[in-house]
Every structure is written in structure tokens, then in C-alpha cells.
């Protein structure tokens, strides 16, 4: 079988473990926000693509975040299949790489594609009311890069372990 056939055969495991890993990752990220380690809420930032009504942005953002988690679960499963199968440590390494990309590339570029985030060039206005994340997300708190990396690694570890259990 090719890798896509393996992925299609593992669809129930990808769905289940993608949801579990996404929920755990969101819990760590929101917990770090509630504890004051970071001011960043990725679900809110995703929801703010669609509306600036905060309550609605949080709900829409969580839906988008969980759907995105499933998309990334499929990508993680494909990488795991291409590298010999799932394991917690392989998932953790993928999560670490994903987290490094997130804090070094995605967050600094976000103001240039998000309609409601100010850029570091222009500052907030009536239309761009959210503060930019800044380098590594540091504008949202000094622990933001660490908590973001930890949450991504947790996603990878949980998904990799679950995927390995389901495949084995």
C-alpha cells in the first residue's frame, strides 16, 4: 500500500487522536494564558479573522482550531508513515519542528495576512486593533515561545503515541 492508502485506513485513529492532541494543545495554550505566562490565544486570533466580536471570535476560533488540528493530524500521520510509523518521540520531533516554524515564521508573518492585527510598521488603527505578535510572539509575553513550543510538542507526542497504538 502507498502512504495515502495507509492514511485512509487509519482515518478513525487520525480523527480520534487528532482531536485528543488538539484539545490537549489548546488546554496548555489557554492554561498558559490564564496563568499569565502568555497573552496569546491562537483560537482567538483565528476567530478574529472572521469577526472582532470577542465572544464570537473565541467560539469560531476554537472550531477553526480543532478543524486545523485535524488537518495537521493528517499531515503528521503522513510524515509518520513516510518515516516508518508512529511513535511518541517521532511525533514529538514533528511537533517541535512545527512549533519552531510557528514561532519563527508564522507569528511574525501573521500581521501581514490577518485583517485585524496591526503591523509593527503601522501600529493599531480603527481597522487593525490587535497587537502584532512580534518576533517569536514575544509581544504576547516572554513565556509565549516556550509555552507554544511545549504545546506543539505535546500535540506531537500525544498524536504520535496514539497513532502508534492504533496502528499496532
Amino acid at each position: 500500500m502507498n502512504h495515502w492508502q495507509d492514511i485512509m485506513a487509519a482515518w478513525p485513529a487520525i480523527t480520534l487522536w487528532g482531536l485528543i492532541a488538539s484539545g490537549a494543545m489548546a488546554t496548555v495554550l489557554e492554561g498558559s494564558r490564564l496563568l499569565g505566562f502568555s497573552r496569546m490565544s491562537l483560537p482567538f486570533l483565528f476567530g478574529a479573522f472572521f469577526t472582532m466580536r470577542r465572544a464570537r471570535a473565541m467560539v469560531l476560533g476554537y472550531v477553526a482550531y480543532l478543524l486545523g488540528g485535524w488537518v495537521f493530524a493528517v499531515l503528521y500521520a503522513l510524515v509518520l508513515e513516510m518515516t516508518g510509523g508512529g511513535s511518541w518521540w517521532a511525533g514529538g520531533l514533528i511537533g517541535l519542528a512545527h512549533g519552531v516554524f510557528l514561532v519563527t515564521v508564522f507569528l511574525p508573518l501573521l500581521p501581514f495576512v490577518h485583517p485585524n492585527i496591526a503591523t509593527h510598521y503601522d501600529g493599531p488603527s480603527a481597522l487593525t486593533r490587535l497587537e502584532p505578535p512580534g518576533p517569536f510572539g514575544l509581544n504576547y509575553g516572554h513565556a509565549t515561545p516556550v509555552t507554544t513550543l511545549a504545546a506543539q510538542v505535546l500535540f506531537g507526542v500525544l498524536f504520535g503515541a496514539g497513532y502508534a497504538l492504533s496502528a499496532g
Side-chain angles (χ1 to χ4, degrees):
M1 279 201 304
N2 70 32
H3 298 301
W4 282 112
Q5 289 172 327
D6 294 337
I7 299 300
M8 294 308 292
W11 192 250
I14 292 169
T15 303
L16 173 65
W17 289 103
L19 180 63
I20 290 170
S22 294
M25 180 174 58
T27 300
V28 167
L29 289 172
E30 287 302 302
S32 73
R33 188 182 63 79
L34 293 172
L35 290 169
F37 295 127
S38 175
R39 293 185 304 115
M40 183 173 73
S41 172
L42 286 174
F44 173 73
L45 288 175
F46 291 153
F49 265 104
F50 308 107
T51 181
M52 278 305 294
R53 293 179 56 195
R54 287 195 175 273
R56 188 163 290 177
M58 285 299 288
V59 172
L60 289 172
Y62 270 107
V63 170
Y65 199 68
L66 291 176
L67 291 173
W70 277 324
V71 169
F72 278 104
V74 171
L75 294 174
Y76 277 49
L78 184 60
V79 172
L80 290 171
E81 285 295 330
M82 291 171 57
T83 58
S87 68
W88 67 268
W89 61 267
L93 287 175
I94 298 167
L96 179 62
H98 186 185
V100 168
F101 177 83
L102 180 66
V103 297
T104 59
V105 177
F106 179 78
L107 288 179
L109 287 178
L110 191 58
F112 300 103
V113 296
H114 196 295
N116 295 310
I117 295 181
T119 68
H120 61 279
Y121 298 116
D122 302 320
S125 71
L127 299 176
T128 58
R129 298 183 293 178
L130 300 176
E131 178 182 19
F136 308 106
L138 289 171
N139 287 356
Y140 294 157
H142 284 81
T144 297
V146 174
T147 58
T148 302
L149 287 173
Q152 291 299 138
V153 169
L154 177 64
F155 177 95
V157 166
L158 288 175
F159 183 79
Y163 189 75
L165 284 173
S166 299

